[in-house]
Amino acid sequence: MVSSRGYQRSAWVDRFNPPTVGTLKEGLDPVAAKLFDSLHDQLSTMDGVSVGYAWHGECWRWTIEYRTGHSDDPLAVMVPSPENLQLAVPLDRDFACSISTRRMTRALKDGLGMAQEPFDTRWGVWSIPAAGLLEDVVDLVEMKLRHLAKQAG
């Protein structure tokens, strides 16, 4: 990106300058920006959820983390990649296995499958190309939030 002050890096890739919601959104196309707004609004207004930013290395770069006091792990992480808006959710195996998948969309099931055997990760990751999947992942995050609250007592 070139500005009147010379070369300027995208906020998403600029490791040494913490971003804001607005600067992360700037790199997205109009459709992704609308999905970004909707996802951010829904996650950030969940009961007991706080919002922060974290650098997750060269793959995810700057992310928006949604956290709750019920866990050391983030509740969810939005990856505002200009090429592929994503939501990542760390899932413990008990929670992932307890979810009924009978009425889930194929896309949601695929992301959940990544957090189960035989894969060696606990992260479910979804690309967010359309509003339909956005509703499904928000529902999943709400289920996880209820699960964490129940575990905490």
Side-chain angles (χ1 to χ4, degrees), residues 59-117:
C59 182
W60 284 354
R61 301 177 189 223
W62 277 111
T63 64
I64 302 174
E65 288 190 340
Y66 303 89
R67 292 186 164 272
T68 178
H70 302 304
S71 175
D72 291 337
D73 289 329
L75 179 65
V77 175
M78 187 179 354
V79 182
S81 166
E83 293 84 30
N84 185 14
L85 178 64
Q86 298 174 21
L87 185 71
V89 180
L91 301 166
D92 66 49
R93 299 232 186 241
D94 291 338
F95 174 65
C97 292
S98 74
I99 300 169
S100 172
T101 58
R102 286 187 332 173
R103 294 184 180 199
M104 280 187 186
T105 61
R106 183 71 179 156
L108 196 58
K109 287 179 189 178
D110 289 347
L112 278 174
M114 296 301 294
Q116 297 176 359
E117 295 293 336

Side-chain angles (χ1 to χ4, degrees), residues 31-50:
V31 172
K34 189 172 181 178
L35 293 167
F36 173 98
D37 283 341
S38 180
L39 183 58
H40 178 67
D41 290 346
Q42 291 180 65
L43 295 176
S44 64
T45 58
M46 287 182 182
D47 193 32
V49 171
S50 62

